[in-house]
Amino acid sequence: MSHNHEEVEEMTDDYDMGEAGDETGDEYHEREGRESDSDDDEFSHSNSKVTDTSSAQARKGKDIQGIPWERLSISREKYRQTRLEQYKNYENIPDSGEASEKECKATQKGGVYYEFWQNTRSVKSTILHFQLRNLVWATSKHDVYLMSHFSVLHWSALTGQPKELVNVQGHVAPREKHPGSLAEGFSQTQVSTLAVRDNLLVAGGFQGELICKHLDREGVSFCCRTTYDDNAITNAVEIYNSSSGAVHFIASNNDCGVRDYDMERFQLSKHFRFQWPVNHTSLSPDGKLLIIVGDDPEGMVIDANSGKVVHKLHGHLDYSFASAWHPNGLTFATGNQDKTCRVWDIRNLSKSTDVLRGNIGAIRSVRFTSDGQFMAMAEPADFVHVFDVQSGYNKCQELDFFGEISGVSFSPDTEALFVGVWDRTYGSLLQYRRVHNFAYHDSLF
């Protein structure tokens, strides 16, 4: 991923806590400052008191984000068209081209797999690095963890209230003593990525920081720095259970390293090094294979134990920032700045099986439901695509809203889908509920 400090600081300034106020903050592009536009200005300042939106209100015609289109001189349709035309996708390899229309799957839109349920503005999910969008995690259909400026928050769908778990603006130090843990902790950590699973929360920082907290214990459990390299941003974290049942996590870093930590012993257990910065990794369900994607158009599948390359992945045209395994362990997906998500079959990795294209920008996050029926593909802003996997990715639902996407997460039981939206006025947490087809049951009455 981009490690130019000016670019990182530029995005940090764009999302600075002190500047968050009545402006929209919905950038027309990922990296550069916001463009001036009269319609956009009216949109930005139209309503400084935006309320939450329920599914009942949405059914009566209220905009799900509370945007008062009826009071604006621009319609939603016109503003959407403007965004589609003016949003500039960030590329690390200029003029690398795009996947051809012939190669990309012609997907049938219009599916309804998840319906809008609630939009809450009591939490504003924020972003610090424009290329890293894994900052929202659901551990149940009621529990969501996310970053809001310097706060790691837990939000409950039952109470509708946020709770701060860790504040990284000040000093954070571990309460527990473990070998390798930095007793002095960290100060003013800039959190770049987040992961939550099995009562463990791991936050990664811009300087290689790793902050580990057990959700059932007070304070922080463990702090360490993966590297003191100048190029040390923690790009992604994945928590998993080893074959013995021990909790581990894998950290992908901009110093070209992938590190595996054993959280039973609080020790580094593996360290693989590659030729380019690693932006994301995903471990196969059986724990044997690891997807590696990063600052190279080619990704890799490696042996999770030895680090040996099993197969290279050819097809993407730019850098990749997302990957995910289907629960069957046979297929997986990768998301790239070439605006595509490619689906691969481990039984034949000579080429991808499907190429799925977004609307305006890079595919920065990919998630499968635990039952494998759906896959969510998130762009940097405005769109999350939910594909029906069982249809062979031929059918999809398009979630359409306005704002930068900080992360997407299905609940483990597949009943809920959460989308973090960063926008200076309309920033919020969108919640969708799974739609079940009960036509068979209805026919019995």
Side-chain angles (χ1 to χ4, degrees):
M1 55 160 270
S2 174
H3 58 272
N4 183 294
H5 291 297
E6 292 181 359
E7 291 176 357
V8 174
E9 290 170 1
E10 185 176 339
M11 285 303 295
T12 304
D13 290 340
D14 285 342
Y15 301 125
D16 182 70
M17 187 168 83
E19 295 180 2
D22 294 339
E23 295 184 5
T24 303
D26 49 295
E27 275 69 16
Y28 272 67
H29 33 72
E30 289 187 89
R31 176 170 166 263
E32 299 173 4
R34 206 176 75 186
E35 294 180 354
S36 175
D37 183 276
S38 57
D39 288 332
D40 189 35
D41 289 340
E42 182 174 2
F43 175 82
S44 301
H45 297 283
S46 62
N47 193 352
S48 61
K49 295 182 180 179
V50 185
T51 59
D52 293 354
T53 306
S54 68
S55 56
Q57 291 172 317
R59 286 194 293 270
K60 292 179 181 179
K62 181 179 179 179
D63 182 85
I64 64 171
Q65 294 178 275
I67 302 173
W69 298 105
E70 69 281 0
R71 301 211 302 267
L72 303 182
S73 61
I74 187 171
S75 66
R76 190 187 196 283
E77 293 72 21
K78 175 63 176 176
Y79 189 69
R80 165 54 64 219
Q81 187 59 37
T82 301
R83 293 275 287 184
L84 289 171
E85 293 172 357
Q86 297 188 10
Y87 194 96
K88 296 178 182 178
N89 181 47
Y90 182 81
E91 298 174 341
N92 281 97
I93 305 178
D95 303 320
S96 60
E98 297 180 355
S100 66
E101 289 188 15
K102 183 178 180 180
E103 185 181 18
C104 294
K105 181 179 285 289
T107 304
Q108 178 184 341
K109 297 182 181 180
V112 182
Y113 314 128
Y114 283 82
E115 62 180 355
F116 171 76
W117 186 246
Q118 183 179 1
N119 180 49
T120 179
R121 297 187 66 251
S122 62
V123 288
K124 285 183 179 287
S125 180
T126 55
I127 304 164
L128 275 182
H129 196 288
F130 68 102
Q131 291 173 307
L132 305 179
R133 308 298 184 92
N134 293 297
L135 295 167
V136 175
W137 291 85
T139 57
S140 80
K141 62 183 177 182
H142 303 304
D143 299 284
V144 186
Y145 297 84
L146 65 153
M147 286 302 304
S148 183
H149 302 297
F150 286 100
S151 296
V152 182
L153 298 180
H154 165 246
W155 182 80
S156 169
L158 294 175
T159 65
Q161 296 298 316
K163 177 183 178 182
E164 185 179 72
L165 301 177
V166 182
N167 189 309
V168 298
Q169 186 173 20
H171 184 243
V172 175
R175 287 195 174 188
E176 304 171 19
K177 293 184 178 180
H178 300 286
S181 184
L182 289 176
E184 66 272 24
F186 306 113
S187 295
Q188 296 184 324
T189 305
Q190 293 178 295
V191 174
S192 51
T193 191
L194 187 73
V196 186
R197 179 179 169 178
D198 294 339
N199 268 330
L200 177 66
L201 181 152
V202 182
F206 272 51
Q207 302 301 320
E209 305 98 329
L210 289 171
I211 299 172
C212 306
K213 174 179 173 55
H214 287 92
L215 300 177
D216 55 354
R217 305 179 197 173
E218 290 294 324
V220 169
S221 301
F222 180 77
C223 289
C224 71
R225 193 182 297 274
T226 57
T227 177
Y228 287 89
D229 193 285
D230 289 339
N231 187 15
I233 300 176
T234 309
N235 292 327
V237 173
E238 180 181 27
I239 302 170
Y240 74 97
N241 293 102
S242 68
S243 56
S244 66
V247 178
H248 285 237
F249 71 86
I250 300 171
S252 308
N253 199 278
N254 229 43
D255 73 343
C256 306
V258 172
R259 297 166 176 84
D260 187 303
Y261 288 85
D262 182 343
M263 290 307 293
E264 301 295 315
R265 301 175 181 176
F266 294 91
Q267 292 179 354
L268 177 66
S269 60
K270 298 172 189 173
H271 183 189
F272 303 137
R273 294 178 175 85
F274 300 95
Q275 297 298 311
W276 30 261
V278 179
N279 296 328
H280 202 271
T281 58
S282 292
L283 185 69
S284 62
D286 63 6
K288 295 181 179 180
L289 298 173
L290 197 61
I291 306 167
I292 307 290
V293 297
D295 285 8
D296 192 287
E298 290 187 352
M300 294 182 289
V301 175
I302 70 168
D303 184 288
N305 291 315
S306 67
K308 182 179 179 180
V309 177
V310 175
H311 207 288
K312 291 189 175 182
L313 307 173
H314 304 282
H316 280 304
L317 305 175
D318 206 288
Y319 296 173
S320 293
F321 285 82
S323 63
W325 283 91
H326 186 278
N328 66 14
L330 297 176
T331 61
F332 61 89
T334 55
N336 191 275
Q337 290 185 157
D338 63 9
K339 298 184 182 180
T340 70
C341 170
R342 288 180 180 263
V343 181
W344 312 81
D345 191 314
I346 197 66
R347 293 162 293 190
N348 182 5
L349 292 172
S350 60
K351 61 181 294 187
S352 55
T353 60
D354 297 285
V355 182
L356 310 172
R357 185 175 174 79
N359 292 332
I360 61 173
I363 307 307
R364 299 231 174 266
S365 186
V366 178
R367 296 280 187 269
F368 284 97
T369 52
S370 60
D371 62 4
Q373 187 168 344
F374 301 107
M375 184 193 78
M377 179 183 90
E379 301 191 52
D382 294 16
F383 295 103
V384 174
H385 310 265
V386 182
F387 290 89
D388 180 351
V389 177
Q390 294 182 344
S391 74
Y393 301 92
N394 286 307
K395 298 179 180 179
C396 108
Q397 175 183 5
E398 190 173 87
L399 307 183
D400 180 334
F401 47 87
F402 294 98
E404 297 288 317
I405 298 170
S406 61
V408 296
S409 182
F410 290 108
S411 60
D413 65 0
T414 79
E415 289 300 312
L417 169 61
F418 297 91
V419 181
V421 179
W422 171 231
D423 182 281
R424 297 192 194 280
T425 298
Y426 300 98
S428 63
L429 184 68
L430 288 167
Q431 180 181 352
Y432 295 83
R433 189 172 67 170
R434 186 165 177 174
V435 175
H436 294 277
N437 186 354
F438 295 114
Y440 170 75
H441 299 285
D442 294 340
S443 69
L444 298 179
F445 296 96

